[in-house]
């Protein structure tokens, strides 16, 4: 038997013993390491008589391949058996009873915000956001409500520092300011979010929700405002006709200003929107005051527009027949189960933001 054959036999015997990964790697370097047996044989090729060199080289290559294949298959075997051992240990017991599964509900306020955003998005309004902690300038001064303006007292503000520079925003109107300061007209946005005032009874909570609307362009007027609100209210309450009236009012940041009431009646103990001779106030609005536009460097010779602020909680109460505002924020799971929305059970007029 040639030397090469002897080497092959010897190592096949070795590799067929019970080896672990470490032993196999040792054998591998014994054969193929820098000074390994096979590697040294390759170095010898040059010293072999020319007549025998070709035969020797081809025999050596075959033996190298055989041993290498054997080593690889042994390594594979060991790795597979380790994986199988692990899998055996991790077997899932399919006979165990399932864990209790509690499906959450969407809060009526979140649902209402989604519905409002969806309706306004369809007619070209972008949704903007602002922080709950605002500075005094954005919340009041820039909105044409300087120090000592009586409207400041009406807001029952939660101030966060002694100098009254930081506060919890009392309305979503500061998002108008933030939007106009960071961009260029035209602006067509709504800004839903949390607002805060030191006030609490059956119809007021210290934290509540508003949605601000702002549309500034070259020729926007009160007619556009009326058309937009009319469309929104019909879509939101899912009715074909509504009664709506604009009552003159005052806000420092709009001129002229109005409050909007919608007609309703009570039928079988339930509120029906759009019919009857009772009136319900649902929002404030007006044409944005030139002083506000000047404060955010919008050219009042070229641009004008409207703004509105709607109380979201009140809309949610009306639409979903909830009569105590405080229940929204009690975090009573039973209440949420009753009034909340199934994430997959979407009301008929909800179109989803992506459509
Ligand atoms: N910010 C007002 C409030 O909280 C609501 C409001 C009224 C917003 C008129 C507006 C507006 O943008 O034009 O009472």
């Amino acid at each position: 038997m040639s030397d090469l054959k002897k080497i092959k036999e010897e190592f096949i015997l070795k590799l067929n013993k019970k080896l672990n990964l470490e032993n196999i790697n040792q054998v591998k370097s014994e054969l193929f390491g820098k000074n390994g047996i096979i590697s040294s044989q390759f170095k010898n090729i040059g010293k072999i008589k020319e007549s025998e060199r070709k035969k020797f080289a081809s025999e050596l290559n075959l033996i190298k391949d055989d041993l290498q294949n054997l080593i690889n298959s042994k390594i594979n075997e060991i790795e597979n058996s380790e994986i199988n051992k692990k899998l055996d240990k991790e077997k899932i017991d399919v006979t165990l009873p399932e864990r209790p599964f509690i499906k959450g509900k969407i809060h009526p306020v979140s649902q209402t915000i989604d519905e409002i955003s969806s309706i306004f998005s369809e007619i070209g309004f972008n949704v903007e956001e602002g922080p709950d902690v605002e500075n005094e300038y954005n919340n009041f001064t820039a909105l044409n409500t300087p120090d000592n303006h009586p409207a400041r007292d009406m807001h029952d503000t939660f101030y966060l520092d002694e100098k009254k520079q930081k506060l919890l925003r009392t309305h979503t109107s500061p998002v108008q300011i933030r939007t106009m300061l960071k961009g260029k007209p035209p602006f067509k946005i709504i800004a839903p979010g949390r607002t805060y005032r030191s006030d609490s009874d059956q119809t007021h909570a210290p934290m509540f929700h508003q949605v601000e609307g702002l549309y500034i362009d070259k020729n926007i007027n009160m007619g556009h405002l009326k058309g937009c609100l009319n469309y929104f209210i019909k879509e939101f309450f899912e009715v074909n006709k509504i009664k709506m009236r604009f009552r003159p009012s005052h806000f420092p940041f709009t001129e002229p200003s109005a409050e909007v009431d919608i007609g309703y009646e009570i039928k079988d103990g339930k509120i029906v929107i759009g019919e009857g001779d009772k009136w319900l106030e649902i929002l404030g609005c007006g044409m944005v005051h030139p002083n506000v536009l000047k404060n955010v460097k919008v050219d009042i010779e070229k641009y004008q527009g409207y703004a509105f602020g709607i109380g979201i909680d009140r809309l949610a109460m009306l639409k979903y027949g909830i009569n105590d505002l405080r229940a929204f924020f009690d975090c009573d799971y039973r209440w949420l189960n009753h009034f909340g929305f199934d994430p997959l059970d979407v009301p008929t007029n909800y179109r989803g933001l992506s459509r």
Side-chain angles (χ1 to χ4, degrees):
M1 203 193 297
S2 72
D3 284 353
L4 287 180
K5 279 217 175 81
K6 267 188 216 153
I7 295 173
K8 182 178 163 184
E9 298 291 298
E10 181 193 337
F11 276 88
I12 286 177
L13 273 179
K14 245 191 197 178
L15 284 165
N16 279 334
K17 280 186 193 149
K18 218 172 177 304
L19 301 178
N20 61 25
L21 209 55
E22 205 182 319
N23 305 143
I24 296 183
N25 280 326
Q26 254 166 18
V27 177
K28 193 174 169 184
S29 70
E30 233 176 282
L31 288 167
F32 303 110
K34 210 166 159 222
N35 295 315
I37 298 173
I38 299 287
S39 317
S40 322
Q41 294 292 343
F42 273 101
K43 284 182 201 149
N44 280 342
I45 290 181
K47 294 181 198 147
I48 286 176
K49 264 196 268 159
E50 217 182 322
S51 57
E52 285 170 24
R53 199 178 289 157
K54 205 169 166 197
K55 194 170 154 254
F56 178 85
S58 78
E59 194 183 358
L60 180 59
N61 268 317
L62 284 176
I63 287 175
K64 181 197 88 177
D65 288 348
D66 286 349
L67 288 172
Q68 242 166 11
N69 287 340
L70 185 59
I71 287 175
N72 289 341
S73 84
K74 292 283 170 193
I75 290 177
N76 260 341
E77 241 172 57
I78 292 179
E79 283 176 348
N80 280 342
S81 90
E82 266 163 24
I83 290 174
N84 285 338
K85 259 190 238 159
K86 249 194 192 166
L87 284 177
D88 270 352
K89 266 195 235 151
E90 285 171 10
K91 240 184 210 155
I92 296 168
D93 182 354
V94 289
T95 63
L96 279 177
E98 63 177 301
R99 291 209 183 100
F101 174 71
I102 300 168
K103 201 160 83 178
K105 290 270 187 167
I106 294 178
H107 194 286
V109 171
S110 306
Q111 174 71 30
T112 304
I113 290 178
D114 280 353
E115 288 173 28
I116 293 172
S117 304
S118 158
I119 294 167
F120 280 111
S121 300
E122 276 205 349
I123 50 171
F125 285 80
N126 288 324
V127 179
E128 288 285 339
E129 279 184 347
D132 293 13
V133 174
E134 251 308 351
N135 59 49
E136 173 281 330
Y137 182 78
N138 288 345
N139 196 81
F140 289 126
T141 309
L143 286 161
N144 199 34
T145 320
D147 262 349
N148 307 322
H149 193 291
R152 285 208 185 195
D153 297 333
M154 283 159 46
H155 277 207
D156 298 314
T157 311
F158 287 114
Y159 285 100
L160 300 176
D161 60 348
E162 272 175 21
K163 285 189 181 154
K164 295 189 168 180
Q165 292 302 301
K166 279 216 164 82
L167 46 82
L168 291 175
R169 65 177 178 189
T170 57
H171 50 179
T172 40
S173 304
V175 186
Q176 283 188 27
I177 301 299
R178 287 179 174 270
T179 306
M180 291 196 281
L181 279 176
K182 74 173 188 221
K184 287 210 156 60
F187 302 104
K188 194 174 183 186
I189 59 125
I190 58 157
R194 281 186 288 266
T195 45
Y196 305 83
R197 289 183 203 176
S198 178
D199 206 354
S200 181
D201 59 35
Q202 194 176 347
T203 50
H204 295 91
M207 193 272 293
F208 55 106
H209 299 82
Q210 286 190 341
V211 57
E212 189 74 14
L214 174 75
Y215 189 7
I216 303 287
D217 205 338
K218 292 205 168 118
N219 294 304
I220 301 302
N221 59 43
M222 287 287 273
H224 296 121
L225 169 63
K226 198 169 175 184
C228 169
L229 292 175
N230 193 288
Y231 171 80
F232 165 69
I233 292 162
K234 280 196 296 204
E235 287 289 301
F236 182 78
F237 287 108
E238 297 172 66
V239 291
N240 294 327
K241 252 190 8 213
I242 49 151
K243 275 167 62 180
M244 185 169 87
R245 74 176 180 199
F246 278 56
R247 251 183 313 105
S249 184
H250 172 79
F251 299 103
F253 29 87
T254 41
E255 183 58 41
S257 304
E259 277 169 313
V260 173
D261 302 334
I262 50 173
Y264 75 99
E265 64 179 356
I266 308 267
K267 252 193 197 160
D268 304 326
K270 280 199 175 141
I271 285 193
V272 181
I273 300 290
E275 291 167 38
D277 52 8
K278 293 189 164 62
W279 294 100
L280 198 82
E281 182 199 321
I282 57 157
L283 63 94
C285 61
M287 297 303 292
V288 177
H289 198 292
N291 286 350
V292 174
L293 296 177
K294 279 187 213 156
N295 287 338
V296 293
K297 310 267 175 314
V298 168
D299 184 350
I300 58 166
E301 298 300 324
K302 284 196 190 137
Y303 292 100
Q304 62 179 44
Y306 63 72
F308 55 83
I310 311 176
I312 292 177
D313 313 278
R314 174 167 288 194
L315 286 191
M317 287 168 78
L318 284 174
K319 184 162 176 179
Y320 297 115
I322 299 162
N323 49 27
D324 189 341
L325 173 71
R326 289 168 296 191
F328 277 145
F329 313 118
D330 276 348
C331 300
D332 183 336
Y333 193 68
R334 290 161 305 176
W335 181 88
L336 188 58
N337 244 343
H338 180 75
F339 286 104
F341 291 84
D342 203 310
L344 298 175
D345 183 17
V346 180
T348 47
N349 78 336
Y350 182 67
R351 302 164 176 83
L353 282 175
S354 56
R355 226 190 64 173

